[in-house]
Amino acid sequence: MVKFGIEFVPKEAYWKTVYYAVQSEKRGFDNLWITDHYNNRNVYVTLAATAIYTKKIIFGPGVTNPYLVNPVMTAQSLASLDEMAPGRVVLGMGAGDKTTLASTGIEAKKQLSAVVDAITIFKAMLDGKSVTYEGKVFQVKGTKFNFKPRGQIPVYIGAQGPKMLATAGKIGDGVLINASHPKDIDYAVGQIKMGVNEAGKNLADIDVTAYTSFSVHKKPEKATKAASPVVAFIVAGSPNVILERHGIDLDKANEIRGALKKGDFGGAFGSVSPDMIEAFSIAGTPDVCIQKITRLLKAGITQFVVGSPIGPNARKSIDLISEQVIPHFKE
Ligand code: F42
């Protein structure tokens, strides 16, 4: 049965995100993902509070990256969280958002290799032994915890690019695909299968997760209006090959890019067209959302993540999803 996850960006005071986490658990979500960017609240502070106030939801960073947080510290953080919430912790690891990393002075080089190194070090540290490893980006020499980690923790890889997707299939327990449209999920599943085959595993071994931009409201226009700012940023940040895959007019995309650069957010959000909403979000009434989630299930996903903005009012949208969307798939 498909799992339902929810993503929160910890941009508000920690207790608000934790309140949403508690509500999500009560309302039937299986997984909770907290994003990691230096300019929001700290992901592990948020996750530690979540561990205390929740009982069964599975949670973790979605996603951290090896540049801002050294892989040894990621292993330490997750092992510590796993003591607070035994068996409920998962790691989401990705290449990191180049733009936010650049503003901290970090040039994210060899991102694929960095992710592979980070996961190798992470897994070895969780075995509790002394680790020596010579990766292309990260090297460690005799690192060992002074405590015994509880054991391995499932690793999900945030992936869009062809090689990262295949790598996720090869070395991950799950993959977080930042996409909302069946065309992108079809493509991703094809790549993941290549990695899975290479490793001699089965696709069923991987939790194939659509990490969507989601917005639900009983009034469709309210749902799409709430999705527009997120979609504007996705359009601006997407490579042209992805825009072309969805038949998005490149001139219109450039208009949005230009407006965002100038800080003209009203102009940018106002330029988001219905075909952009269709390509890069799941937005609409509960019935429309059910239809779109069903299409992604057919494409092979095993977890569906409700990501930003969730809806015009996150709290009310969690209730609506719980009452009208999740039951369709769980009952
Ligand atoms: N990023 C964040 O910073 N914070 C978040 O909270 C976050 C959440 C998130 C959730 C889901 C998700 O899918 C992504 C998320 N991201 C988040 C974004 C993530 O960190 C990445 O920026 C994003 O997924 C883009 O990564 P990608 O999978 O498209 O991979 C990039 C790096 C890429 O170019 N991949 C290429 C590919 O084909 O997959 C491979 C690149 C390659 O081969 N590199 C060579 C190597 O050795 O590494 C080196 C090439 C060279 O010489 O530089």
Side-chain angles (χ1 to χ4, degrees):
M1 197 187 301
V2 64
K3 295 191 281 276
F4 273 81
I6 191 159
E7 172 222 51
F8 293 110
V9 178
K11 55 182 190 242
E12 296 174 286
Y14 85 92
W15 56 266
K16 256 196 178 168
T17 308
V18 176
Y19 167 73
Y20 289 141
V22 171
Q23 292 307 321
S24 305
E25 176 177 83
K26 275 194 189 154
R27 293 309 223 146
F29 283 90
D30 307 286
N31 285 64
L32 168 79
W33 300 96
I34 304 291
T35 61
D36 186 10
H37 297 94
Y38 83 89
N39 47 357
N40 293 320
R41 271 37 169 215
N42 181 268
V43 65
Y44 295 113
V45 170
T46 310
L47 291 172
T50 299
I52 293 168
Y53 289 103
T54 57
K55 291 187 189 66
K56 57 180 188 195
I57 203 160
I58 308 283
F59 63 90
V63 301
T64 189
N65 69 77
Y67 298 98
L68 208 52
V69 183
N70 183 283
V72 168
M73 295 306 292
T74 299
Q76 183 211 46
S77 306
L78 272 287
S80 305
L81 275 176
D82 199 36
E83 287 180 343
M84 297 179 78
R88 288 205 284 135
V89 175
V90 289
L91 169 67
M93 173 66 75
D97 171 38
K98 266 194 160 172
T99 317
T100 28
L101 284 172
S103 62
T104 67
I106 296 171
E107 195 192 337
K109 284 188 194 154
K110 297 196 174 166
Q111 288 180 290
L112 181 72
S113 308
V115 167
V116 172
D117 288 354
I119 291 171
T120 309
I121 294 169
F122 177 84
K123 288 187 175 174
M125 292 291 296
L126 287 184
D127 271 342
K129 297 189 184 125
S130 167
V131 183
T132 296
Y133 172 78
E134 276 280 326
K136 281 192 186 148
V137 181
F138 292 97
Q139 298 82 33
V140 291
K141 207 172 168 190
T143 49
K144 186 179 187 316
F145 292 132
N146 288 333
F147 66 98
K148 195 172 165 9
R150 287 186 66 260
Q152 285 300 324
I153 288 172
V155 174
Y156 286 66
I157 300 179
Q160 269 72 244
K163 289 188 193 159
M164 195 69 86
L165 285 160
T167 302
K170 197 169 153 193
I171 64 169
D173 300 295
V175 47
L176 303 174
I177 310 160
N178 225 341
S180 306
H181 196 278
K183 270 189 199 166
D184 296 317
I185 301 292
D186 275 340
Y187 173 78
V189 171
Q191 291 302 119
I192 296 165
K193 272 185 188 155
M194 282 167 49
V196 159
N197 291 342
E198 205 184 312
K201 303 195 288 190
N202 297 311
L203 189 60
D205 299 332
I206 307 285
D207 190 6
V208 179
T209 305
Y211 208 89
T212 69
S213 166
F214 188 91
S215 179
V216 67
H217 195 278
K218 284 182 179 156
K219 294 191 174 144
E221 61 284 2
K222 286 202 169 184
T224 48
K225 189 167 178 227
S228 294
V230 180
V231 170
F233 280 101
I234 298 174
V235 168
S238 291
N240 286 348
V241 342
I242 305 247
L243 298 175
E244 280 162 1
R245 185 185 293 163
H246 293 284
I248 305 288
D249 184 333
L250 295 185
D251 291 336
K252 282 194 187 158
N254 284 333
E255 244 172 61
I256 293 178
R257 287 175 177 143
L260 286 176
K261 240 187 200 158
K262 279 193 291 184
D264 173 14
F265 294 109
F269 304 161
S271 304
V272 170
S273 58
D275 59 342
M276 293 175 186
I277 296 277
E278 170 67 20
F280 298 115
S281 70
I282 290 196
T285 60
D287 279 345
V288 166
C289 293
I290 287 171
Q291 282 168 24
K292 294 191 171 184
I293 297 169
T294 305
R295 281 160 64 195
L296 298 191
L297 284 177
K298 287 194 183 130
I301 65 158
T302 47
Q303 183 178 158
F304 179 82
V305 175
V306 167
S308 301
I310 302 171
N313 174 309
R315 179 68 192 82
K316 287 188 183 157
S317 295
I318 290 171
D319 287 347
L320 196 56
I321 297 162
S322 166
E323 285 155 18
Q324 297 192 22
V325 179
I326 295 179
H328 179 88
F329 297 95
K330 297 266 187 188
E331 280 166 14

